[in-house]
Amino acid sequence: MNRSIDKKRNIAFIGHNGCGKTLLLSAMLFNAGLADRISSKLIDTDPIEESKGSSITSHVYSFDWNEHRLTVIDTPGFGDFIADVLNGVFVSENVLCVINAVSGVEIQTERTWQIAETMNKPVMVFINQLDKERANFENALGSLRSSFSRKTVALTLPIGSESGFRGIIDLVSEKAYIYEGGKAVEVTIPSEMSGKVQEMKLKAVEDIVESDDSLMEKYLEGQQIQPEELIAALLKAYKTGAVVPAFCGSAEKNIGIDVLMNYVIRLGVNPLDGAEYDAKLDSGEKVNIKASETEPFCAYNFKTVVDPFVGRVSYIKVISGTIKAGDSYFNVNRGTSDKFGRLYLARGKEQVEIDQATCGDIVVLPKLKEGSVCETFTHKDRKLIITPPIFPEPMFSRSVNPKSKADIDKISSGLSRLSETDPTFRWEYDPETGETVVSGLGTIHLDVMIERLKSTFGVDVEVGKPKIAYRETISKKAVAEYKHKKQTGGHGQYGHVKIELEPLPRGMGFEFVDKIFGGVIPKNFIPSVEKGVVEAMKRGSIAGYPVVDVRVTLFDGSYHEVDSSDISFQIAAIQAFRKGMEEARPVLLEPIMEVEIFCPDEVAGDVIGEVTSRRGRPQGMESTGKGMSKVKAEVPLAEMLDFSGRLSGITSGRGYFTMKFVRYQEVPPNIQEKIAQERKQESQNA
């Protein structure tokens, strides 16, 4: 089962949802003798995937082809699951972008392509679904060339189109293949295509030799370029990103897939020649590391699955060294040691047990005690942490509450385990609102995670719109006095305070000032007054939200030698603060977010209009190139809760945004009144 490192090819499939990535993987498995038919259902076996009819997670398969080990990471095409794309591309030396021959370049094509470019990964293209109605090879190829800066070079041409699509021509070898029942039969190049073949071959040769000075000189002198020389130059140009080799076919009809697989082997970068990884030593020093067969063991955990039967299942890329079943390893992120039990080659549900894994291998580790996605496993003598990709911040939130009280404890455990599998999924319990809030990249993302919470951990929840963490403050100075006096059979209660409230600049929090002179209140009761004020600030007078940005000065009062106590002064302070806040013109504050919205140039004006209608303040706009603009704005969080769906509508699914908290800001009076009424209604219904 072991392969030398020069015979290993790791490749990530990227592309828009519906372009046929999973079907392409299925066709490859069929050709490799690991499947009895071509069907995405053989790979999308998760019940949620079956219900949605689409991949929602990456699928990893290792198989042999022509004495080489191919490991394919088929990433999902939904933007909500971009984390799987980031990690899949991160651990692969090669990227295959799958294009729908009907639609050409789509929004997720652009986003995932940008990921590959950012990570300096070489890209090849497969124009798929040429057998479909309205499929057009030339248009799809044209959309690639107009959308991306890298030079796209067609290496295969289709024979026929739409329902008449029946084969391909390999421009390098100038051989034609007709497919009968998915099997290739070499034929003579159709005479009507000979002119087109020569035209495209000439264009391909010119584009390829541009990256090789000696070959360019030979070409300009009119000498014949041999196929072996062309492949060598193409390999170099592909590896450096100078060219993008493009192939075509139909995964469903198994046309051109074998030729594609052969080119993945001929052109594909092996693990030793892949890009370096940024890392940090336990001393904090930043370093770059490359794949190595001789360095001690180091691996990156790029995928973690929580299985209801097996438990935690981790997918790791071995960057250096060798591991064997039973070997010890060090989890550098957690500072813990453990042992690998069994090792498996990834092959869906039919995983293959192996004795050891070496540099470049992608393997599956079941039943690890600990291990979240993006963590680094190493030999105990090589403690470093691989710097993971930068993941987008989760911007879409929902509240979740267990339907059964018996599930209260289970929900925390389940959400914690799910967060180990996805760096873009977060959860927290907000004691202020009494809600558990989950956050992700979109509605589909959260729907899937909530469904997994139910199916994997048996927790059924009610899903709602999360509450906003408003704050209250005051807008002018006020003085208040309260005397707490209560007589009982024994000792009474006595506490008397005079305080001044004044607003502080936004973000300053709370300040308590002691200006008691002459012992009118004993020093041992001053902390009691402050404690009472802090307690009163937990619920403001407008809608019961916490109070912030207030200075409280204790300047006078009185006490009783017998009846005064800690609790008496706390009560007096609570009541004095409540009276003072009513007089200090209280106002409601809301969180303001700094938002960056990415959208096509032609709808930037509509996006700015939408932001303005949501009480947002546009801060500027700039071009990001390739027909996209970035709109910067500050918008109240309350107005952003349903923004994702609206943005999708305006931009036809091409827009996305990021946001982060910047400050609290006063709520307009009309909206403040509405919030107060809603809060009052909630209290009555509770």
Side-chain angles (χ1 to χ4, degrees):
M1 294 295 292
N2 291 328
R3 293 288 182 187
S4 59
I5 197 162
D6 63 312
K7 292 186 178 296
K8 295 176 184 178
R9 301 289 185 271
N10 299 317
I11 185 164
F13 287 3
I14 63 172
H16 196 86
N17 184 55
C19 66
K21 298 183 298 296
T22 304
L23 205 60
L24 174 59
L25 171 56
S26 178
M28 287 184 169
L29 295 174
F30 177 81
N31 289 340
L34 297 179
D36 59 0
R37 66 188 189 281
I38 298 174
S39 172
S40 59
K41 292 181 179 179
L42 297 175
I43 296 168
D44 286 338
T45 57
D46 184 294
I48 304 175
E49 289 179 322
E50 291 176 353
S51 66
K52 292 186 176 296
S54 187
S55 301
I56 57 171
T57 185
S58 58
H59 299 287
V60 187
Y61 279 78
S62 291
F63 53 93
D64 290 345
W65 178 255
N66 287 352
E67 299 182 352
H68 284 68
R69 168 77 44 75
L70 294 184
T71 300
V72 173
I73 303 176
D74 169 32
T75 68
F78 284 116
D80 285 15
F81 305 102
I82 201 75
D84 275 0
V85 180
L86 284 158
N87 262 335
V89 172
F90 185 67
V91 299
S92 300
E93 290 77 39
N94 305 277
V95 174
L96 177 69
C97 182
V98 183
I99 303 292
N100 182 331
V102 179
S103 307
V105 172
E106 300 172 87
I107 177 58
Q108 198 64 6
T109 316
E110 296 173 355
R111 290 188 69 186
T112 54
W113 187 290
Q114 183 61 46
I115 289 170
E117 287 202 333
T118 301
M119 295 185 188
N120 295 316
K121 304 287 184 174
V123 179
M124 57 182 73
V125 167
F126 183 70
I127 299 174
N128 192 24
Q129 300 172 328
L130 279 165
D131 57 311
K132 302 300 181 185
E133 185 179 351
R134 293 181 290 108
N136 190 302
F137 173 76
E138 295 286 350
N139 288 349
L141 190 63
S143 71
L144 283 162
R145 289 172 171 166
S146 62
S147 298
F148 305 118
S149 57
R150 295 189 187 185
K151 190 175 295 182
T152 305
V153 179
L155 296 186
T156 61
L157 293 181
I159 299 174
S161 62
E162 299 183 348
S163 60
F165 174 58
R166 62 189 189 280
I168 63 164
I169 298 170
D170 183 338
L171 291 177
V172 176
S173 65
E174 294 191 36
K175 292 181 178 180
Y177 302 95
I178 296 296
Y179 288 77
E180 300 173 356
K183 298 293 184 180
V185 177
E186 186 177 342
V187 297
T188 303
I189 293 176
S191 57
E192 69 273 13
M193 293 190 66
S194 59
K196 184 68 173 177
V197 168
Q198 291 307 311
E199 175 193 340
M200 295 295 287
K201 172 74 177 277
L202 182 62
K203 178 72 169 67
V205 171
E206 289 176 347
D207 288 340
I208 294 168
V209 299
E210 280 184 3
S211 61
D212 189 302
D213 292 340
S214 61
L215 211 59
M216 171 64 85
E217 185 177 343
K218 186 175 180 179
Y219 174 74
L220 292 175
E221 291 175 352
Q223 298 183 47
Q224 185 72 27
I225 306 294
Q226 299 301 315
E228 295 76 17
E229 294 177 300
L230 200 60
I231 285 293
L234 180 59
L235 175 58
K236 178 182 175 182
Y238 162 72
K239 181 180 175 182
T240 60
V243 302
V244 174
F247 309 93
C248 64
S250 165
E252 186 175 2
K253 298 287 182 63
N254 200 19
I255 298 176
I257 310 306
D258 53 346
V259 173
L260 171 66
M261 294 168 74
N262 290 333
Y263 269 106
V264 169
I265 289 173
R266 295 174 78 184
L267 301 180
V269 177
N270 71 54
L272 284 181
D273 292 333
E276 293 183 338
Y277 293 90
D278 294 332
K280 185 183 290 185
L281 302 177
D282 55 359
S283 64
E285 179 187 354
K286 293 182 179 179
V287 295
N288 293 326
I289 66 169
K290 282 185 69 68
S292 169
E293 295 180 282
T294 57
E295 290 285 344
F297 168 69
C298 175
Y300 176 78
N301 182 11
F302 71 93
K303 178 179 172 67
T304 294
V305 177
V306 179
D307 189 282
F309 304 106
V310 180
R312 185 185 287 105
V313 179
S314 299
Y315 292 70
I316 67 167
K317 163 73 175 293
V318 180
I319 295 170
S320 63
T322 299
I323 53 167
K324 297 179 180 179
D327 279 356
S328 296
Y329 71 93
F330 191 76
N331 184 322
V332 191
N333 299 77
R334 296 173 183 259
T336 58
S337 296
D338 202 351
K339 285 188 177 183
F340 295 121
R342 295 179 173 179
L343 306 177
Y344 294 88
L345 275 184
R347 199 169 288 173
K349 291 186 175 181
E350 304 299 326
Q351 295 173 354
V352 180
E353 188 167 1
I354 55 177
D355 295 327
Q356 68 174 23
T358 57
C359 175
D361 283 336
I362 288 176
V363 295
V364 184
L365 308 171
K367 299 182 180 179
L368 292 187
K369 291 180 181 178
E370 294 182 317
S372 296
V373 67
C374 302
E375 292 183 342
T376 305
F377 303 155
T378 69
H379 185 276
K380 61 181 178 62
D381 295 331
R382 196 187 192 198
K383 295 177 182 176
L384 56 84
I385 293 178
I386 302 296
T387 304
I390 298 174
F391 298 96
E393 287 293 311
M395 291 292 113
F396 199 90
S397 299
R398 286 284 181 261
S399 63
V400 292
N401 295 293
K403 291 183 178 180
S404 168
K405 290 184 177 180
D407 289 341
I408 291 176
D409 293 334
K410 289 167 63 178
I411 190 172
S412 298
S413 174
L415 291 173
S416 295
R417 295 290 297 276
L418 287 175
S419 66
E420 293 178 354
T421 71
D422 188 340
T424 61
F425 176 73
R426 310 263 177 85
W427 76 279
E428 64 177 353
Y429 175 74
D430 188 345
E432 183 182 313
T433 61
E435 289 184 326
T436 297
V437 177
V438 295
S439 301
L441 299 182
T443 53
I444 299 174
H445 188 200
L446 289 184
D447 286 347
V448 166
M449 298 307 276
I450 290 168
E451 181 60 32
R452 283 182 175 158
L453 181 66
K454 180 179 179 180
S455 61
T456 305
F457 300 98
V459 182
D460 203 1
V461 296
E462 294 178 340
V463 182
K465 187 177 179 180
K467 299 172 186 173
I468 303 297
Y470 292 103
R471 297 288 186 266
E472 297 185 28
T473 191
I474 58 175
S475 56
K476 72 170 189 175
K477 287 186 178 181
V479 173
E481 175 184 8
Y482 191 84
K483 183 182 292 184
H484 175 65
K485 188 175 182 181
K486 188 175 182 181
Q487 193 63 45
T488 59
H491 284 306
Q493 295 181 17
Y494 185 92
H496 175 210
V497 300
K498 293 181 180 180
I499 59 174
E500 180 186 63
L501 287 69
E502 59 183 312
L504 287 175
R506 200 68 64 236
M508 293 298 292
F510 166 63
E511 185 180 333
F512 181 79
V513 180
D514 172 17
K515 283 193 175 181
I516 293 296
F517 296 101
V520 293
I521 297 177
K523 288 188 177 298
N524 60 304
F525 290 135
I526 303 299
S528 303
V529 177
E530 182 177 1
K531 191 184 296 184
V533 170
V534 171
E535 180 63 30
M537 289 177 65
K538 291 180 179 178
R539 289 185 59 83
S541 60
I542 299 174
Y545 289 104
V547 181
V548 296
D549 302 337
V550 175
R551 176 186 290 124
V552 175
T553 301
L554 174 64
F555 65 89
D556 201 1
S558 61
Y559 76 103
H560 188 280
E561 289 187 357
V562 177
D563 292 344
S564 287
S565 63
D566 170 71
I567 191 64
S568 298
F569 275 99
Q570 282 193 52
I571 293 172
I574 290 171
Q575 297 302 326
F577 182 87
R578 288 174 178 171
K579 287 178 63 178
M581 189 170 180
E582 292 282 0
E583 299 295 325
R585 203 166 62 213
V587 293
L588 198 63
L589 303 175
E590 63 181 339
I592 302 297
M593 312 303 288
E594 180 181 273
V595 184
E596 290 188 345
I597 307 163
F598 298 84
C599 62
D601 292 339
E602 61 269 21
V603 296
D606 294 334
V607 169
I608 291 174
E610 182 67 23
V611 166
T612 304
S613 73
R614 292 171 179 265
R615 300 191 286 124
R617 297 174 57 189
Q619 305 289 304
M621 183 179 75
E622 61 186 67
S623 174
T624 62
K626 300 173 185 175
M628 295 291 284
S629 295
K630 177 170 70 174
V631 175
K632 294 183 178 181
E634 291 185 350
V635 190
L637 176 60
E639 301 287 350
M640 293 299 296
L641 296 181
D642 62 348
F643 181 70
S644 180
R646 179 60 183 143
L647 178 65
S648 180
I650 294 174
T651 64
S652 300
R654 300 181 67 196
Y656 61 99
F657 69 97
T658 64
M659 67 179 181
K660 63 181 179 180
F661 171 79
V662 285
R663 66 179 180 280
Y664 273 92
Q665 182 173 292
E666 189 172 332
V667 177
N670 61 319
I671 297 177
Q672 177 174 297
E673 184 177 345
K674 179 182 177 183
I675 294 169
Q677 288 296 324
E678 290 176 351
R679 184 77 161 175
K680 183 178 180 181
Q681 189 66 41
E682 288 175 6
S683 299
Q684 291 174 348
N685 295 337

